[in-house]
Amino acid sequence: MNPNINLDEFHEIVQIVMGWENYHLYGYTINKKHYLPSEAAFSNICTDELILKDVMESNKKFIYEYGMGDSWKHEIVFNKYIEPKKDMKYLICTSGKGICPLEDIGGVWGVFK
């Protein structure tokens, strides 16, 4: 993954990894500040203005929220950036628990129906 992508592009990667369809609003909370896509940002800072590398260097973790009404909050933790080998494209998942929440399930409340 290229660390020079903005948070909108990172969102697209998360959508693919989680198997979602990008139906809902998303945002980030970094150091108690909220970042939203430009079409929803209003007075917040836009996600297309913040580069992932800058976030990684100043914060080891932050919150990614998808489906604001459903409150799917995911803690993103960066342990270490490893420079990729030339001409090689890959992603590495070092750990995970359980399965991804389904799109449009209604948040945590929908899981326990």
Side-chain angles (χ1 to χ4, degrees), residues 9-29:
E9 294 164 316
F10 182 72
H11 160 74
E12 292 172 15
I13 292 170
V14 172
Q15 289 293 296
I16 293 166
V17 170
M18 299 295 266
W20 293 331
E21 301 293 328
N22 199 21
Y23 294 151
H24 302 285
L25 181 61
Y26 65 94
Y28 299 88
T29 303

Side-chain angles (χ1 to χ4, degrees), residues 27-45:
Y28 299 88
T29 303
I30 304 167
N31 289 331
K32 299 181 182 180
K33 292 182 183 176
H34 300 288
Y35 301 84
L36 296 170
S38 59
E39 63 271 11
F42 306 113
S43 63
N44 291 321
I45 300 171

